[in-house]
Amino acid sequence: MVDADTTDATTTGPPAAIAQALADADRDLGRLDAALAALTDGDLHRAHRDGGWTVAQVVSHINMCAILWLGDMRRLEADPELDFFFREEVGHDLTGYPPPTIDLARGQLARTRRTLATAGAVVPAELLARTVTIPDLGTMTVEEWTPLIVGHASGHTEQAFEIMRDRGFAPEGV
């Protein structure tokens, strides 16, 4: 019997924790997209009253986290000696350029969802087994990091909803 948590993602799918993180991210990003569909461009640039990011910056951060992590996977494939990522290289300290319109923000979310769905699940087993250190966060395998990184990115959907609720423009149900 083959252990689902150690199979080759290119032939049998990702390990269960990664598959779950990708499904959760798709659900969360879908909820955020539906909420964005009810907003105006002006709403996109409002931040929480206590300060912090705008909804646009949250969307950009989600997008950059996902893209950077997937780029990091290619870096690991290409460089057998690589075992260290700066926090910015996983999107942790990065907000990115805020998109100026709802259409662009929704486009970013759509591309992020597509990239996670198409590239997030096809990480070879030898790459999943690689160990990587991220300063202040620790040292783990790619298989252990991936659900955390994907979860971090999609977890920001609640931050965007909180901004919408705080500023009084949250669509019904958010």
Side-chain angles (χ1 to χ4, degrees), residues 108-132:
Q108 267 191 319
L109 280 176
R111 288 175 63 99
T112 300
R113 291 174 76 189
R114 180 180 171 95
T115 298
L116 285 171
T118 59
V122 291
V123 180
E126 61 273 7
L127 196 56
L128 291 172
R130 293 273 301 276
T131 300
V132 176

Side-chain angles (χ1 to χ4, degrees), residues 28-70:
D28 294 343
L29 296 174
R31 286 185 60 226
L32 180 55
D33 178 58
L36 289 177
L39 303 184
T40 67
D41 291 347
D43 294 332
L44 192 64
H45 300 287
R46 292 199 233 177
H48 195 282
R49 283 186 230 277
D50 292 335
W53 293 354
T54 65
V55 176
Q57 289 171 313
V58 171
V59 169
S60 185
H61 180 75
I62 292 167
N63 183 53
M64 294 306 298
C65 286
I67 289 171
L68 285 169
W69 183 248
L70 294 172

